[in-house]
Amino acid sequence: MNNPLFDLILKGGTVVHETGRELADVAISGETIAAIGAPDSLGDATEVVDVSGQYVIPGAIDMHVHFREPGYTHKEDWETGSAAAAMGGVTTVFEMPNTHPPTRSAVEFRQKQECAKKACVDFGIYALLAEDNIDEIQGLIDAGANAFKCFMGNTFGNLPSPSTGAMLEGFEIIAQSGLRISLHAETASIMAWRQSKLEAAGLNQPLHHIVARPEVVAIEAVARAAILSEWTGARIHVLHISSAGELRPLSEAKNRGVDITGETCPCYLLLDASDYERLGSVIRVNPPVREKKDSVAIWNALQSGVVDMIATDHAPHTLEEKTNDNIWKADCGFPGVETQMPLMLSEVAAGRMTLEHYVRISSANPARTFGLWPCKGRIAVGAHADIAVIDMARQEIISATKLHSRGKVTPFEGRATTGAPIHTLVRGRFVQRDRAIMPGVSGHGKQVTNIQSMPAPKPCNVDQSLAAVLATGEET
Ligand code: NCD
Ligand code: ZN
């Protein structure tokens, strides 16, 4: 036999782009897609895998996961978390800084990079923007932070939320770098005030979680963050959109030209207040799952583009940590990186969105927003071979005990799904094949280099920044 042209050909599948689909073979050489062509037109490869009847889509890019290492490895670590991602068709994750210690300085950033060496999927690492680490921001940028995370409201890890003054200075510094700041957009002071009054009155049932964090906490936080973004030119991203109300400040800011994007998660689309009685403390998540009218509005915004993408807020905890009769004592969040794709493909199967639109919100838009495009987020010659092969007929029942995450409790327990990723490739290598993790893939994942392909941010009110004003003071 002649030397084969390619390392691998995925043969006979339907390649799905955000703008359409084609029956085509996909050839891979090394880490990238080398050719896409009509069935049987591409020639030889070392390995040919028949994927006829299946769909070939870009792997999901999940901008919001908590892999818990360092510090909380009884909940998750980089090996278990990234294995869950690979099982879920997710080829790149961005990991959050509310670990122990938090990722709030260059030293801690490098510690996180060491932990991440076990990953089998590609990753970005978030750095923290908090009240007390403004002087560390430049060091975090220099150390290779892929984005920043700002907790405007209290959540797991109890990291103190920055004052608006500290946020403004943080935005001023980060704006220069072009890195995006992702926001847990709930206003801390409103929630603390309300929760303490509820607790004092002995109100501690699951639905009181929504009462402590009404929609206005998200509306106020999104509006305030958008104003700081507009003022400083800092790019921002609103995490886990949970309410109809916050869609208004989000779309208004977009219309004003603010570089703001938004994500939602499956729980805000598929669950609502009527599920609290059945699920009890398991459903507790920040921000809370809200009313049916919220999920309806978020679905519409995901279709229209006001909400740009789907992420998971993968937030594993143990069964003991999740289960408590007193809602204030149950940990918030649940695993999601492994179940997002089957859950959302089930919605595709039910006709609620096209597979093309799913590719847009799960992969293409996250890639563009965080500067991974054009290497990631698409099936195209020259792009990384980050691929999920989908069987749209595959039926499964979600069962937490089968999840690869250490978090063995999910509000989707027992839910039937249609459609699943049967293979996952990261830069040309199978990390998941036939619904099993491949041996020896731990460590295949690499930290991404992002934003190089993005236009430089527009300088905005730089002369009024704290750094500029203080520098003038020093000169005189
Ligand atoms: C997340 C966690 O557990 O780390 N929990 C949650 O309820 N969403 C933190 C977060 O993203 O707010
Ligand atoms: Zn959050």
Side-chain angles (χ1 to χ4, degrees):
M1 187 168 128
N2 297 333
N3 274 351
L5 266 175
F6 305 111
D7 293 329
L8 173 69
I9 292 180
L10 301 174
K11 182 178 145 57
T14 300
V15 176
V16 185
H17 310 283
E18 56 182 330
T19 49
R21 55 183 79 187
E22 54 180 328
L23 255 185
D25 293 354
V26 176
I28 294 160
S29 286
E31 299 194 330
T32 55
I33 296 173
I36 301 172
D40 295 319
S41 69
L42 295 182
D44 281 348
T46 309
E47 186 180 8
V48 176
V49 176
D50 183 4
V51 294
S52 45
Q54 324 288 9
Y55 295 88
V56 177
I57 70 171
I61 299 176
D62 188 342
M63 301 314 306
H64 190 169
V65 304
H66 302 268
F67 282 174
R68 305 299 193 205
E69 189 182 1
Y72 303 109
T73 50
H74 68 287
K75 296 176 192 275
E76 195 76 292
D77 66 32
W78 278 85
E79 185 160 1
T80 53
S82 67
M87 288 304 294
V90 176
T91 50
T92 301
V93 296
F94 270 41
E95 204 271 343
M96 288 295 175
N98 58 335
T99 43
H100 190 70
T103 320
R104 66 189 162 194
S105 71
V107 170
E108 287 150 339
F109 190 85
R110 284 190 276 274
Q111 189 182 353
K112 175 81 55 97
Q113 282 176 314
E114 277 303 308
C115 300
K117 284 185 174 161
K118 298 195 286 288
C120 70
V121 302
D122 283 353
F123 56 88
I125 299 178
Y126 275 103
L128 186 68
L129 160 56
E131 179 82 13
D132 56 359
N133 77 332
I134 302 296
D135 293 342
E136 306 285 349
I137 289 174
Q138 193 55 52
L140 284 159
I141 295 168
D142 296 341
N146 298 100
F148 278 80
K149 165 78 174 272
C150 174
F151 290 96
M152 296 176 78
N154 185 54
T155 189
F156 176 75
N158 285 318
L159 301 175
S161 301
S163 64
T164 310
M167 265 178 82
L168 177 61
E169 190 180 358
F171 277 35
E172 288 170 353
I173 299 166
I174 298 164
Q176 319 287 321
S177 71
L179 292 173
R180 197 169 289 273
I181 306 164
S182 291
L183 304 156
H184 182 116
E186 291 189 290
T187 295
S189 58
I190 307 176
M191 303 188 296
W193 185 268
R194 292 175 71 95
Q195 186 177 324
S196 69
K197 298 237 165 170
L198 291 166
E199 283 195 71
L203 299 174
N204 60 11
Q205 291 308 294
L207 279 166
H208 293 128
H209 184 52
I210 309 184
V211 183
R213 295 172 174 251
E215 199 176 1
V216 68
V217 303
I219 300 171
E220 197 272 348
V222 172
R224 183 156 47 97
I227 287 169
L228 299 185
S229 163
E230 190 168 18
W231 183 259
T232 58
R235 298 178 163 130
I236 60 170
H237 175 68
V238 181
L239 299 162
H240 39 39
I241 287 170
S242 64
S243 72
E246 74 203 275
L247 299 169
R248 186 163 74 93
L250 173 63
S251 66
E252 285 175 353
K254 285 187 170 190
N255 291 338
R256 298 200 300 276
V258 179
D259 193 340
I260 182 172
T261 52
E263 77 181 27
T264 193
C265 311
C267 62
Y268 305 112
L269 295 167
L270 303 176
L271 302 173
D272 61 53
S274 67
D275 294 299
Y276 276 65
E277 194 177 338
R278 176 174 64 88
L279 293 167
S281 59
V282 168
I283 200 173
R284 187 176 190 214
V285 60
N286 298 326
V289 167
R290 302 182 184 280
E291 306 297 329
K292 184 77 187 165
K293 63 120 176 105
D294 295 294
S295 71
V296 170
I298 298 167
W299 264 115
N300 290 337
L302 197 57
Q303 294 288 8
S304 72
V306 169
V307 172
D308 300 82
M309 68 191 78
I310 190 103
T312 69
D313 187 12
H314 176 80
H317 301 285
T318 65
L319 182 62
E320 296 69 42
E321 291 163 340
K322 282 298 294 170
T323 319
N324 204 297
D325 290 341
N326 180 340
I327 194 63
W328 311 120
K329 294 193 171 150
D331 273 354
C332 299
F334 30 78
V337 75
E338 190 166 348
T339 49
Q340 178 272 113
M341 197 173 279
L343 286 167
M344 295 308 293
L345 291 178
S346 304
E347 300 302 304
V348 171
R352 288 189 85 168
M353 91 170 50
T354 64
L355 202 45
E356 285 83 352
H357 196 66
Y358 176 70
V359 165
R360 185 184 303 260
I361 61 165
S362 65
S363 190
N365 280 350
R368 277 190 286 261
T369 301
F370 285 84
L372 301 164
W373 189 272
C375 281
K376 294 187 183 291
R378 61 195 194 124
I379 303 288
V381 173
H384 288 170
D386 291 350
I387 295 172
V389 177
I390 302 302
D391 179 353
M392 280 305 289
R394 188 177 175 99
Q395 308 218 310
E396 294 188 351
I397 307 279
I398 293 177
S399 156
T401 56
K402 286 193 280 176
L403 294 181
H404 290 66
S405 170
R406 277 200 186 116
K408 298 295 184 203
V409 46
T410 161
F412 295 109
E413 184 71 36
R415 196 171 174 113
T417 57
T418 302
I422 53 165
H423 313 304
T424 306
L425 291 94
V426 174
R427 282 176 290 99
R429 178 163 173 188
F430 280 93
V431 291
Q432 184 252 118
R433 192 161 185 173
D434 297 316
R435 304 296 297 136
I437 294 295
M438 294 292 281
V441 293
S442 177
H444 176 65
K446 280 191 198 159
Q447 188 181 350
V448 298
T449 48
N450 59 327
I451 82 156
Q452 280 76 3
S453 62
M454 287 171 84
K458 292 193 195 79
C460 198
N461 294 313
V462 183
D463 52 333
Q464 292 183 59
S465 73
L466 207 45
V469 172
L470 293 175
T472 320
E474 275 164 23
E475 280 163 23
T476 50

